[in-house]
Amino acid sequence: MVPELAPVPHSTSLTIRVAGRVVGTIEAAHAHLIQGAVLHSPMTVDELELMDDHAHTSGRAKALERSAAYQPPFSPAEMVAKWRERAERHRATAQNLCGVLRWLRNHPESPAVRFDGCDWSAVAARKELAHQRHTHSRCCGQLGFWLRQQAAQQTATALALPPAANDAAQAAGKVA
């Protein structure tokens, strides 16, 4: 028994019929999934429901795995170093692409240039330059966040320190 799909008048839904009997409805946006399954390998309604159940179950299982994943402890100093290195790497790549574009502008007879193992046309270099600039700005945003975290952590520990040796006179009540 292969299900048939029929449009519902004045609606975005389709009815699912098996042997002329209506067994359910589906949104037209998702109908291509059933039609593809029906066209390539005829499936019963039970198989389609089982497929749908597996999709929902696996999605919940993956979400549970992501939420229960162990997050290793981090320090703001490590994260600052990580994001600083990433920002510098994307900035350097953008500067190299600017050099490629400059060379292409100065040599209009050449459709492309080979740089760092890649062939760059003007269009491809501009597109990659835009991506590298965007990624660099996102890395700088993350770097700023972690720099603020590092500064907050450092000022909190600095307040817990005893007074310095040159402040001993002021701590004793003597004014210089």
Side-chain angles (χ1 to χ4, degrees), residues 7-14:
V8 176
H10 310 294
S11 175
T12 60
S13 300
L14 300 171

Side-chain angles (χ1 to χ4, degrees), residues 2-169:
V2 177
E4 300 170 9
L5 299 175
V8 176
H10 310 294
S11 175
T12 60
S13 300
L14 300 171
T15 58
I16 303 171
R17 292 186 177 147
V18 176
R21 197 174 116 240
V22 176
V23 294
T25 61
I26 187 169
E27 286 293 320
H30 304 294
H32 67 281
L33 299 173
I34 291 179
Q35 287 172 338
V38 169
L39 291 176
H40 297 304
S41 61
M43 299 177 75
T44 65
V45 173
D46 293 334
E47 290 172 334
L48 289 170
E49 288 177 353
L50 184 64
M51 181 177 70
D52 185 55
D53 290 343
H54 283 306
H56 289 295
T57 304
S58 66
R60 285 195 298 269
K62 286 179 184 175
L64 184 61
E65 286 176 10
R66 284 192 301 268
S67 67
Y70 171 72
Q71 296 293 327
F74 59 87
S75 71
E78 292 173 4
M79 297 303 284
V80 164
K82 172 184 167 182
W83 286 105
R84 181 173 281 139
E85 185 271 329
R86 284 185 182 178
E88 289 172 358
R89 187 175 66 234
H90 289 292
R91 182 174 178 262
T93 304
Q95 287 176 335
N96 290 338
L97 288 169
C98 287
V100 166
L101 287 170
R102 191 177 307 114
W103 193 90
L104 286 170
R105 187 180 62 233
N106 292 336
H107 298 85
E109 70 280 356
S110 176
V113 63
R114 186 158 190 81
F115 179 78
D116 220 11
C118 295
D119 291 329
W120 293 102
S121 67
V123 173
R126 281 191 196 98
K127 185 176 179 181
E128 184 63 23
L129 177 62
H131 170 71
Q132 292 296 328
R133 283 181 172 169
H134 175 71
T135 309
H136 170 73
S137 65
R138 292 183 66 201
C139 289
C140 287
Q142 284 290 324
L143 176 61
F145 171 78
W146 287 108
L147 283 171
R148 286 190 298 275
Q149 298 297 316
Q150 186 180 29
Q153 187 181 42
Q154 286 177 350
T155 56
T157 58
L159 294 175
L161 294 175
N166 59 358
D167 292 340

